[in-house]
Amino acid sequence: MTEQTEIKIGIADDEEVIHSSLANVIKRNQINCELFSFYDTAQIKDFLFEKPLLLDILILDVHFYGGETGIEALSKIREYSPGLPIILLTAEKSPEIIELAYPYSIDYLAKPIDEATFIIHLKNSIAKSKENKHVFDNLKIMNDSLVEQQNKIE
């Protein structure tokens, strides 16, 4: 059996209970990962600006106490990490609010979160992240090859 690569998951929520609950669910379901905690949108945007390719998945709340919403932060998150799979968590019931996130190609789960449903969405995001990394790696190889050919021509 080959060892699974550790997945890097960011949890962006202003409630510590959400961080610990999600960590427990992930651990209970034996997802091999490293968790990164963010408590407002500024933290996650700063992190992704500095390390745009480090996270494999972002779990993002919609509402943060007294600050920018997760939906408002999506444009910068996508600018810094275009292929990052995002699972949007919210207790928001208004379809108009959720529709604001659709252009950013996100996954959506309503709170309270059912554990089995969350794990399905998380595993789908893991698969998407692996596929994105594979495509990125292939594009890099192709680009390097083109640069090498261009250098030979010059």
Side-chain angles (χ1 to χ4, degrees):
M1 179 191 298
T2 61
E3 186 176 315
Q4 269 188 322
T5 303
E6 186 174 68
I7 301 296
K8 292 175 176 41
I9 300 173
I11 300 174
D13 197 296
D14 58 345
E15 296 181 47
E16 181 59 42
V17 68
I18 299 296
H19 288 262
S20 59
S21 295
L22 291 175
N24 288 335
V25 167
I26 291 166
K27 183 178 181 180
R28 191 169 38 251
N29 285 274
Q30 301 175 347
I31 306 288
N32 182 23
C33 70
E34 180 179 359
L35 297 176
F36 295 79
S37 293
F38 307 96
Y39 294 91
D40 61 42
T41 57
Q43 288 178 337
I44 187 62
K45 290 187 301 185
D46 289 347
F47 182 88
L48 292 174
F49 179 77
E50 294 294 325
K51 301 173 183 172
L53 300 176
L54 184 67
L55 291 182
D56 297 302
I57 297 165
L58 176 61
I59 300 168
L60 178 66
D61 191 21
V62 168
H63 294 290
F64 290 84
Y65 181 75
E68 177 181 49
T69 69
I71 291 173
E72 291 168 336
L74 281 172
S75 65
K76 282 294 182 192
I77 291 170
R78 278 287 176 245
E79 179 183 328
Y80 301 150
S81 299
L84 179 65
I86 299 171
I87 300 173
L88 191 67
L89 303 181
T90 186
E92 182 64 56
K93 301 298 183 207
S94 168
E96 293 82 19
I97 298 294
I98 304 310
E99 286 175 7
L100 294 172
Y102 288 163
Y104 300 103
S105 184
I106 53 93
D107 200 356
Y108 158 78
L109 285 172
K111 294 178 184 177
I113 302 162
D114 171 72
E115 182 173 327
T117 302
F118 171 72
I119 292 300
I120 289 168
H121 285 259
L122 184 60
K123 287 182 177 180
N124 284 339
S125 291
I126 291 169
K128 183 190 283 187
S129 177
K130 288 179 180 179
E131 182 179 315
N132 289 349
K133 284 188 184 298
H134 179 71
V135 168
F136 180 79
D137 290 345
N138 284 339
L139 286 172
K140 183 170 178 359
I141 290 167
M142 290 169 45
N143 183 61
D144 291 348
S145 176
L146 288 172
V147 167
E148 184 179 318
Q149 290 176 18
Q150 181 68 30
N151 289 338
K152 288 179 182 177
I153 293 171
E154 295 173 350

